[in-house]
Amino acid sequence: MNELQDVPLWLWVCIAVAVMLQGTLLFRDARRRGRKAWFWGLWGMTTVPSPAVVYLLVVILPERRRRKKL
């Protein structure tokens, strides 16, 4: 358990900011696209960067492909 005590405070703050920012951005973008905003926002506040990568692969890229075909 000493490993967590050795992590500096500034790193914890950076991680918290990154997680909150990612959750907020995913929520806002999903709400704009009409894609389960609460799910993406809450999941975005759990880890970094897995939810953002999945969001890119599941929501953004398929939508871009559909637009190109039209």
Side-chain angles (χ1 to χ4, degrees):
M1 285 304 243
N2 265 348
E3 297 86 18
L4 289 178
Q5 292 174 351
D6 294 339
V7 177
L9 179 62
W10 64 268
L11 185 58
W12 286 113
V13 171
C14 288
I15 292 170
V17 167
V19 166
M20 293 298 290
L21 182 64
Q22 175 182 267
T24 302
L25 292 175
L26 286 177
F27 175 81
R28 293 181 71 188
D29 191 65
R31 184 175 57 181
R32 185 176 59 86
R33 295 175 190 264
R35 299 287 186 125
K36 300 180 184 174
W38 285 103
F39 168 75
W40 289 109
L42 288 174
W43 190 35
M45 286 194 244
T46 59
T47 59
V48 173
S50 301
V53 171
V54 172
Y55 185 76
L56 176 72
L57 294 173
V58 172
V59 176
I60 295 176
L61 292 180
E63 191 172 301
R64 283 189 184 173
R65 284 189 202 123
R66 268 187 256 128
R67 284 186 192 170
K68 278 190 175 182
K69 287 183 179 181
L70 298 176

